[in-house]
Each structure stands twice: as C-alpha cells, then as structure tokens.
Amino acid sequence: MRRPVERDVGAIIDIVGDWDVARRLARVPHPYGHSDAVFFLDEVVPNEWVWAITRYGSDRLIGVVGLTPEGSTAELGYWLSPAWWGRGVMTEAAQVVIDYGSTALGLPFLTSGYFADNSASGRVLQKLGFIPIGSTKRSCLARGVDVASIDMRLDKPDHPLLARPFTAR
Ligand SMILES: CC(C)(COP(=O)(O)OP(=O)(O)OC[C@H]1O[C@@H](n2cnc3c(N)ncnc32)[C@H](O)[C@@H]1OP(=O)(O)O)[C@@H](O)C(=O)NCCC(=O)NCCS
C-alpha cells in the first residue's frame, strides 16, 4: 500500500468509472472522468488518510482504502477493481488501515457504512469486527438518489492484556 499519485489517474478512472463500482459508493459521480480523478488526488488525498492498494511486485493501483476525518474519529471507506473481488484483498488492506487508525492516530473508534444492496461490503465490515448501529438513507451521487444504508461502528478493543482471561498460577 502506498500514497495515490498522479500516475494513478488512468487506473482510478478505469475502476471508479465502472458502474458496478460507482453505484456502490456515496461520493463519486457517474460518468467519472479525468477532472474527477484529479480532484480526488488534489483535494481528497491530502486532506484524508488514503492509500492505494497494489499487488506484490506491481506498482499498478488496483484499489483504494482510507479514513475520512469525522469529528473526533474517522470513517473507513474503500473500493477495489472488480477484477480482484472475492480474494480477501480488501479485508486484508482495511485491517492495516484500522490498525493504523487505532495505534498511530489513536482514534477511539471507527465508523463506516454500506448501501443495503451491497452485501459484499457488509461482509467485509463484519469480518473486520464492525457492528451495525442503525440504518438510514444516504445520498448516492452516481445513482442520483438516496439509498437505504447500514451504519457500522468498530470500537477499539480493550487492552489485550486486560481482555485475556486469568490463568492459574
Ligand atoms: C466491497 C469490496 C471492496 C469488497 O472487496 P473484496 O476484496 O472482494 O472483499 P473480500 O474478498 O475481502 O471479502 C468479500 C466478502 O464478501 C462476500 N460476498 C461477495 N459477494 C457477496 C454477496 N453478493 N452477498 C454476500 N456476501 C458476498 C465474499 O464471499 C467475502 O466473504 P467471505 O470471505 O466470508 O467469503 C469490493 O466488492 C468493491 O470494491 N465493491 C465496489 C465498491 C464498494 O462497494 N465499496 C464499499 C462501499 S461501502
């Protein structure tokens, strides 16, 4: 994982421009073009904690995962090229970001959310330990409508030593 940079513009447009990706995201327009990718690199990346996901041995961006500041904490968000869906990539990448948010940034908890018709994302969040805390309607820019969504939250686990059961001496 590394910072997204200008040479990623083509890959970002290819992936986020795909309707199957765009319709599952809240903040991206459809169609998605060069100026949208430049906005992402110039305005979003410097102001949030954002990582490009690459495969081992390759520099090509295949997805993005990040934390958007939100009050005293942050919201986890992500997208991945459909060519790589279903191989555990996002669960592994998001776990790294969660650990960074917890340890390096000291965030007390994280939030996330997914559209109710995006079960794969719900499953990713479940695997990461997020729990549902409510449902709402969230604007989807690509679809141009509000979409039923599930709000999720991940609390920082208790200190591992405290969480460990007592053992006989
Ligand atoms: C959501 C997304 C990031 C998942 O990435 P991924 O690398 O395929 O995720 P993983 O392989 O780590 O885990 C996916 C899980 O969802 C499951 N899954 C896939 N499709 C599913 C479906 N239709 N219903 C229920 N579960 C589904 C997989 O079986 C897997 O669970 P498992 O490990 O128990 O088998 C990817 O699909 C994506 O980029 N989608 C478009 C953008 C998006 O949805 N972003 C999130 C917005 S909230």
Side-chain angles (χ1 to χ4, degrees):
M1 289 161 67
R2 60 163 173 77
R3 192 178 176 85
V5 289
E6 201 182 339
R7 66 177 180 279
D8 296 319
V9 163
I12 293 170
I13 295 170
D14 281 352
I15 300 168
V16 180
D18 185 328
W19 175 245
D20 276 340
V21 173
R23 72 184 180 88
R24 293 176 163 95
L25 299 172
R27 296 193 284 168
V28 308
H30 189 80
Y32 186 95
H34 188 269
S35 59
D36 300 309
V38 170
F39 176 85
F40 171 72
L41 291 170
D42 289 352
E43 303 297 332
V44 177
V45 172
N47 293 306
E48 304 186 7
W49 297 285
V50 186
W51 289 265
I53 302 168
T54 62
R55 295 163 58 207
Y56 291 111
S58 166
D59 183 55
R60 187 169 175 81
L61 177 152
I62 62 165
V64 158
V65 56
L67 296 170
T68 301
E70 188 187 63
S72 61
T73 185
E75 181 181 34
L76 177 72
Y78 43 74
W79 46 262
L80 182 70
S81 163
W84 296 97
W85 288 4
R87 304 177 193 211
V89 171
M90 194 52 75
T91 304
E92 182 182 343
Q95 186 62 65
V96 175
V97 171
I98 290 169
D99 292 345
Y100 180 84
S102 172
T103 55
L105 302 177
L107 301 175
F109 65 92
L110 292 176
T111 64
S112 193
Y114 64 97
F115 292 138
D117 58 4
N118 187 4
S119 304
S121 185
R123 177 70 185 129
V124 169
L125 292 172
Q126 183 192 36
K127 286 194 289 182
L128 292 166
F130 280 79
I131 55 165
I133 53 166
S135 56
T136 182
K137 280 209 160 190
R138 214 168 164 171
S139 151
C140 174
L141 203 53
R143 295 193 226 187
V145 291
D146 290 345
V147 179
S149 320
I150 316 295
D151 295 330
M152 305 287 279
R153 173 174 166 135
L154 177 67
D155 283 302
K156 202 170 186 167
D158 290 338
H159 191 286
L161 289 176
L162 298 177
R164 205 175 282 167
F166 288 113
T167 50
R169 292 177 184 232

